[in-house]
Each structure stands twice: as structure tokens, then as C-alpha cells.
Amino acid sequence: MKNVVRNRFEIVSEAGQLTRGEPDTSKALAIEGLTVAYGEKAAVFSLDADFAAGRMSAIVGPNGAGKSTLLKAALAIVPALSGTVRFFGLSIDQARGRVAYVPQRASVDWDFPARVVDVVMMGLYRTLGWFRFAGANERSRAMTCLQRVGMEDFAERQIGQLSGGQQQRVFLARALAQDADLYLLDEPLAGVDAATERTVMEVLKGLKSEGRAVVCVHHDLATVPAYFDDVLLINVRRIAAGPVGVVFTEANLQKAYGGRLAGTVAAPLPVGGH
Amino acid sequence: MGQEFVQLSLTPMLIGILAAVACALPGNFLLLRRQALIGDAISHVVLPGIVVAFLFTGTVSAWPMMIGASLAAIFAVVLIEAIKRVGRVDAGAAMGVVFTAMFADGVLLLELSDTSSVHLDVEHALYGNLESLIWLAADGWGSLADWTALSEMPPQVGRLALVLALVSGFLFAFWKELTISTFDEGFALSLGIRARLIGFLLVVTTAVAAVAAFDAVGSIIVIAMFICPPASARLMTNGLGHQVAWSTLFAGASAILGYVLAGYAPLWLGAENSVSAAGMIATVSGFILGFACVLGPKRKRIGAAREV
């Protein structure tokens, strides 16, 4: 218990901008004191984080830092031991229709018997009632989403025949079909080709410019300053959070990655001099 | 020919088809969820359930047997989950431990208890008694429109028809939820689909199909039908709806072909007696899977290089 209190204190002193009290509806996602454990090991410990609408945010940290777990726990996909999570000031169950989640591409079996358009139409699930099945209307909406990611020619393909980048685009199209206000993406640029990376970033920037919130778990430190407005650095606990220019510093990264940083970074890091 | 066929072959065939299809339908989803073994597990644990039900009631009437089997199936599913979590072993190992142990207990119980007066033995548990489910009250095709004759039909026909309706109804009602949660459970949960409940209901549906089919046709067909027709069907198509349709076709074809071959093939080969219909139906379903592996249009995906 003592440990928890001490950790809290550190977070407050480091971030200096912790919010408490009434849920704020202006925040797309507000997480407070979130703790998740697998077995006896904490994957995420007493973590606070806010994500704003109209911003592109990255969640960055070493392997096993709890980045994916943070998203899953926020969406109640994995149970949290403690903490509160509010989406636009609402509970997850009240806000499901406004939140789209893109899991890691490798988390599903692409040998599943489905065509590209079938997967995209899964994003329309919440618009379909009991005993209602996707029809021509849903199909045309799915096709529009496929066009936005440049995959309309692959609509009838079996999903197992796609390349990694194409699979990622299909997942993004499925999220677009959800027409959400908050997009939570787990490693959307991991292992994709350059063309896919450009397409994904264009689409995400489009969402942001429409006033939606975009949150990506991101692994490539070199592209963080170019792609994102805000960054949350975590390593089980929160290390730092805020605008990229302020918190994406060598010092914070060293803190997040410990001694493992040297081999991780492909390009020179911006040193926070603002 | 008409009268003899309706009396002796129509109902066993019908029961075979109903049982095969009722098991093949949920088998499609079990296969895609890599849970195919759960059908195997459930169909084995049904035996101790039936024996215990017999020890309690002293009869082999249908309802106590069905209830005993269902309780055993539920017990086994809970036990598998518990072993998985407490023992930290993978699902396959947990199932393997539970179903072999429980089946063995069933065999021991059978040997220890006096079941000589009733039709309850290990052979029956394995291949059922399909050939004996005849319809003596029938005197031709016209009996299908005759209520008195229909009421004399083996009760397995009605029971399995009901179970098939239940299974189909479940798949139809939860088609979207089953599909999404089978393909991508995390995404399903993020949509608010209660994916774990759906998964549990699928296992319950599987158990209902297994128990009803076991009573009529024994565990060999049940195990074969949960796996072979869906696995063959997967090799025929890349669409889930089409896969389910193909699996129904393959299950029905196995039942009909297996029954006919069991009755006549040994005679053609010069043997004196026919062979077990249940065994032959399961064998045919295995051959269909073999053909699908060699000739199925979508077989290439197996072992195909996958870009990561």
C-alpha cells in the first residue's frame, strides 16, 4: 500500500498536470489509477492518462511495458484490478458506439473463411439488430471504407491471401466503418510496407482533422515527432505524458527504456529544448 | 421394397442424418476456434453420466440418461476450465486428461455395476444401436402421413429433430456474434459482444447435440461428425456460410452412404454379416475428408507461405 502512495506522488510530481474530480466530457479518454495484472505480475500499475479529441496520440514504451494491455483494459477486454476509465465522460458500456478498436494484426487467424468485405462489414455490427444480416446497404458502406484505404479492388479476396500491409488496411477500414469519435489502434504500423504506412497515416490525419481522437500504440521512436501531437511514455507505470515537443526527450526515453534504448532508436532523437 | 425400406432402413438413416448434421453444425465453429477436441471430450464424458444416472434410477429410459449425460458434460467443461487455470496447462492437455479419465471411470462403473439386465455396455456407448432403431409400425411410405404409425417411430427421431432445430436456431440467432468473436475476440469484446458467453453457449449447444446423438448413434459418429464434415467443408470454400452448407451436405452424405455401405458392402465382398453402421458412417466421413484434402479447391492454403 505504501508503495502505491509513493508511486502516486511520483506521478503527480513528474507530470504536474494530474486531473482529479468530475469526469471531463471534453476528454475522449480519461484513465485514472488503472492497474492490470496477469497472474501476480503487474502489467500496468496505477496509471493515469488523458487523450484529447482532435489530437493524434502515441503510446510508447519498451516491450512488455503494458501498452496493448492499457488499451485492452480501457475497453474492458481484459479486467482491471482498479482504476476508472471514462470515454467522453461516459462508461465504456455507454460509449461503445463511439469507440473503435484496431487490435494487432497478428492477434487473429487470417486463415478464417472470410472475404475482405466480410471483415469490413463486421465494423457495422452495432448498426445491425437481432436477426438482421448485412445487405446491400452495409456492403456499399464497407466499399466506401475500403476505398479510403485503397483496398476496394480486394473486396472479394479471401483475407488469407493478403499481405501484411493489406491486412492492416482492412483492419483500418473495419474501424472506419464504425464511424467512431475515438480510434484506439494497437501497432497499426508494425511490419507494414511504406505505401501502407503512408495510407494509414493519411487516413488517421483525416480523422484527426474531423475532430476525432486517435490513439496509437507505436513502436518506432524515430517517427513519433513527425506523426504525433501527444505522447504517453509508459513502462508499466507512467513515465511522462504531454505534447511531443515537451515530453519526448532523451531523459524521459532513457527512463522508460532503461538501459535498452541504444539499440532501439533508428534516428537521432529530438532533445527537448522547448 | 418400399415397405421393407420404410420399416427397416428409413428411421436409422433419418436418425443418422439428423445426428450427423446436428453435430457437424456447431463443429464448424469449434474447428475455427481450435476447440475441435471439445466435441471429442464431451462425447466421452457422456458415458459416466449415463452410468451414474442408471445407478440412481435403475432404468435406461431416455430422460434420466439425457440429464445424467448433460450434467456430466457440464461437469467436464467446468473441470477442463479449472485444470487449465489451476494447472496452467493448455486447453488440449486439459481436455485430454478430463475426457480420458472420465471415460475410464465410466467403463469401471459399468463393469462394477450390474447392468446385465439392461442394454448398457461399452460397445453400445461406442457405436450406439442405429440398426435396431427400426419402425415396425410402418407398412410403406404412406405411414409417414399416418399419425398412429408416426407415434410408433423410434423416439430418437423426434428428439434429434428437436435438437437439430435448437442447434440451427442458435447458429442463426447468434451468427454475427459467433462469426465476429471466433475471428477476432478482442474486437468482438470492444463492440460489446459478450464473446465469452457466446463461447460458453456454443459449448452447451455442442453438449446438447453430443448427448442426443450419443444416445442414438454412439460416440464414434459424434466425434467424427464434429470434426470431419467441417474440416472437409473448409477445404471446399473460403466463405463461412458456404462452409456450413458444405458441412451439412457432407454430414448427410456420410450418414446415407455409411448406412448403405455398412449393410451391403460386406455382402458384396463375400462376407456373411453386415458391419456397424456407426463405424461405417464415421469411416465414410474420414474418406470424404481425405478426398477433400486431395481434391478440394481451397486445399492449397494449408502450408502455404504466409507473409508476416
Side-chain angles (χ1 to χ4, degrees):
Chain A
M1 198 60 221
K2 206 173 172 185
N3 202 13
V4 177
V5 175
R6 219 189 98 232
N7 180 61
R8 278 263 193 221
F9 175 73
E10 281 174 5
I11 287 166
V12 174
S13 63
E14 275 163 24
Q17 52 179 39
L18 206 63
T19 50
R20 283 276 179 272
E22 285 302 296
D24 186 346
T25 51
S26 72
K27 283 172 190 142
L29 171 57
I31 296 169
E32 273 188 44
L34 188 71
T35 297
V36 188
Y38 294 125
E40 283 163 17
K41 195 169 171 286
V44 171
F45 189 77
S46 191
L47 195 125
D48 300 280
D50 292 330
F51 299 98
R55 305 279 286 181
M56 290 262 280
S57 310
I59 301 175
V60 173
N63 289 335
K67 306 183 293 286
S68 300
T69 302
L70 176 61
L71 291 190
K72 287 182 191 161
L75 290 160
I77 294 171
V78 298
L81 286 180
S82 63
T84 56
V85 177
R86 308 296 278 180
F87 295 86
F88 307 99
L90 305 167
S91 75
I92 178 62
D93 284 321
Q94 294 165 314
R96 293 243 186 239
R98 299 178 65 183
V99 182
Y101 169 57
V102 180
Q104 279 183 26
R105 183 164 54 79
S107 68
V108 305
D109 178 8
W110 290 90
D111 200 25
F112 190 83
R115 296 164 304 164
V116 165
V117 68
D118 298 325
V119 171
V120 178
M121 285 193 290
M122 289 179 187
L124 299 167
Y125 169 76
R126 292 187 64 88
T127 66
L128 290 166
W130 268 78
F131 293 105
R132 286 229 21 241
F133 296 94
N137 181 31
E138 282 71 28
R139 203 193 144 76
S140 88
R141 284 175 67 183
M143 289 307 291
T144 312
C145 298
L146 279 171
Q147 274 162 16
R148 287 169 70 184
V149 299
M151 285 289 288
E152 67 273 24
D153 294 338
F154 294 82
E156 301 300 323
R157 280 282 180 96
Q158 208 278 324
I159 53 173
Q161 298 168 357
L162 302 177
S163 73
Q166 291 167 335
Q167 291 172 350
Q168 192 63 58
R169 294 184 201 206
V170 171
F171 261 17
L172 183 58
R174 181 177 71 175
L176 291 175
Q178 291 178 262
D179 192 22
D181 296 319
L182 167 63
Y183 284 80
L184 300 173
L185 303 96
D186 198 346
E187 299 270 15
L189 301 176
V192 303
D193 52 283
T196 297
E197 182 155 339
R198 273 195 303 278
T199 308
V200 170
M201 287 317 298
E202 258 167 48
V203 169
L204 295 182
K205 278 177 188 148
L207 293 171
K208 172 192 146 184
S209 67
E210 291 164 3
R212 305 175 205 247
V214 179
V215 178
C216 296
V217 170
H218 191 62
H219 67 288
D220 182 7
L221 296 178
T223 53
V224 169
Y227 288 166
F228 296 96
D229 305 316
D230 297 328
V231 63
L232 167 69
L233 276 163
I234 66 169
N235 189 350
V236 182
R237 299 156 196 242
R238 162 169 158 159
I239 305 296
V244 170
V246 178
V247 300
F248 197 67
T249 62
E250 185 83 47
N252 280 335
L253 282 166
Q254 287 295 354
K255 222 185 281 179
Y257 283 80
R260 285 173 287 169
L261 190 57
T264 322
V265 187
L269 288 166
V271 178
H274 293 257
Chain B
M1 166 67 196
Q3 184 186 347
E4 195 190 300
F5 175 81
V6 173
Q7 274 188 338
L8 300 181
S9 293
L10 179 67
T11 44
M13 266 185 165
L14 204 57
I15 288 165
I17 295 168
L18 291 171
V21 175
C23 292
L25 285 177
N28 282 290
F29 285 97
L30 294 178
L31 191 78
L32 293 171
R33 289 166 169 255
R34 309 198 181 284
Q35 287 184 328
L37 211 55
I38 202 131
D40 200 341
I42 289 171
S43 50
H44 275 87
V45 304
V46 160
L47 178 67
I50 285 177
V51 179
V52 171
F54 167 74
L55 292 178
F56 269 102
T57 61
T59 71
V60 281
S61 56
W63 287 112
M65 298 289 110
M66 298 278 271
I67 291 167
S70 308
L71 289 177
I74 292 167
F75 178 73
V77 169
V78 172
L79 199 62
I80 289 167
E81 274 303 306
I83 290 178
K84 236 163 61 182
R85 289 188 189 168
V86 178
R88 300 263 175 98
V89 294
D90 78 300
M95 283 183 227
V97 168
V98 169
F99 81 71
T100 47
M102 285 182 71
F103 187 74
D105 290 344
V107 173
L108 289 180
L109 275 174
L110 254 185
E111 286 184 348
L112 289 173
S113 55
D114 179 22
T115 53
S116 50
S117 58
V118 294
H119 192 58
L120 193 61
D121 50 58
V122 177
E123 287 78 29
H124 178 199
L126 284 176
Y127 5 100
N129 58 344
L130 195 51
E131 293 89 341
S132 69
L133 299 174
I134 51 178
W135 188 20
L136 285 176
D139 50 14
W141 289 103
S143 301
L144 282 173
D146 176 2
W147 276 114
T148 13
L150 279 176
S151 66
E152 300 279 307
M153 249 194 184
Q156 284 87 347
V157 178
R159 244 179 348 241
L160 278 167
L162 186 71
V163 165
L164 179 58
L166 204 80
V167 170
S168 319
F170 169 72
L171 292 196
F172 184 71
F174 292 103
W175 180 262
K176 297 193 297 279
E177 288 81 2
L178 276 166
T179 308
I180 299 176
S181 62
T182 300
F183 173 59
D184 190 345
E185 192 185 36
F187 179 70
L189 289 165
S190 82
L191 289 174
I193 293 174
R194 301 181 64 185
R196 276 149 209 152
L197 179 66
I198 294 285
F200 178 72
L201 288 177
L202 177 65
V203 172
V204 171
T205 306
T206 302
V208 169
V211 169
F214 175 89
D215 168 51
V217 299
S219 60
I220 296 224
I221 294 195
V222 176
I223 297 164
M225 289 305 145
F226 275 127
I227 302 176
C228 290
S232 316
R234 180 64 190 90
L235 299 167
M236 302 303 292
T237 172
N238 277 328
L240 184 53
H242 290 138
Q243 181 189 317
V244 170
W246 273 106
S247 74
T248 307
L249 183 77
F250 284 150
S254 305
I256 295 169
L257 210 60
Y259 183 82
V260 172
L261 285 178
Y264 298 105
L267 305 181
W268 299 333
L269 294 173
E272 302 259 310
N273 299 309
S274 56
V275 296
S276 150
M280 189 55 88
I281 291 171
T283 306
V284 169
S285 74
F287 272 107
I288 290 177
L289 178 56
F291 282 122
C293 285
V294 179
L295 304 169
K298 305 299 176 193
R299 70 190 188 283
K300 283 200 189 96
R301 69 194 178 81
I302 286 178
R306 234 180 71 187
E307 190 176 337
V308 180

